[in-house]
Amino acid sequence: MKAAIMISLLATSIFANAKDYRVAALYWSMDIEGQVAMRKGVEQRAQQITKTTDDKILIEPYVAGNGREGAKRQIEQFYSVLKDRTPVDLIIIQPTDNSALIGPLQLANKLKIPVIAYDQYILGGELTSFITSNNYQAGKLNAQYIEKLYPNDYEIKLILVEYPRVTSTIDRVEGFIDTFKKVHQNFKILKSYSAVEPVGGKKVGEEILKDFPDKNSIDVIFTINDGGGLPIVEVLAKAKRNEIKVATIDGDPRSIQNIRDKKLTVINSAQFCSQIGRESMQAGYDFLKNKKVSRRMLIPTFPVTTKTLGSYTGMEGELPKAIKLPWSKKRWQNQIKRFE
């Protein structure tokens, strides 16, 4: 009889500790493959937590969209979540802009609502945790591969397609350029353009053809993501500018296929986008359960080339095993860097 009472009390205690957690998930957009995969990771981990614990994670999704209108919409969405009469327990956000969200982040801090940011950082406030790809590494891996294709004293004619409004893309460009300088690779930046999504990418591709119409006037184009980079490849391939080598970042399946087909793209430093989402949701849940959470996490990127295709698990996959890079004496490591 006493044993039955004890079991009943234990079950009651466990049930009493169970909780429904409301999570506002503020996504950037749903028309870039990597961003879709990040969202899948967030929601998959939330479902897993709900299935394997007594708690329930209830996600309330918001999608901002691209461009200035998207950035403006995300500010409004962030404030709307904070002004809800019933506060959410957690906010997970992929910021559209580094500095535009200072106001709502500071208000969240004042209301003591934890904020997990992934992919991009937010300046001017306190984040509970920030999870992103090792973006500096992504640019570095691209440059390490490209410089092996040319003698050091050859001046590589380089085009940059960047996006200086968010930390991740800034870090990618810095990793690329710093590596060229470190290995003393001679290069000249012919021109820089800005594109991060398909419409902007197509426009930039057409501008590149107009600005550099002659074959062999460009050696390499470095694009900071596949969202803007894929349309550039399509425009250039259609114009038969196959002499150009494209180095890019993300791991979009279409870009990986371009590598297989030897269609301009020679390397893609691929993200494990769903892993970013999974780690973000896990960090948020751990914080809610009063567990220690890393203040910053860097997920490694993987250099996909014709020689490493077999090791890549896809942007929704788990991290592959460590491998030796065919063009380098160094090994690619599959470790997540965590900072307290």
Side-chain angles (χ1 to χ4, degrees), residues 74-84 102-104 107:
Q74 192 173 68
I75 296 169
E76 295 169 353
Q77 291 169 344
F78 204 155
Y79 275 124
S80 176
V81 168
L82 296 172
K83 293 176 181 177
D84 194 317
I102 293 174
L107 179 56

Side-chain angles (χ1 to χ4, degrees), residues 129 293-298 336-340:
S129 186
V293 174
S294 298
R295 298 300 298 270
R296 186 163 67 105
M297 287 182 245
L298 297 180
I336 297 174
K337 292 187 177 181
R338 302 176 187 270
F339 303 88
E340 304 304 324

Side-chain angles (χ1 to χ4, degrees), residues 146-162:
I146 290 294
E147 66 93 8
K148 295 296 183 183
L149 304 179
Y150 299 93
N152 278 24
D153 59 354
Y154 177 79
E155 187 176 69
I156 297 175
K157 299 184 289 293
L158 177 65
I159 295 288
L160 296 181
V161 182
E162 52 190 344

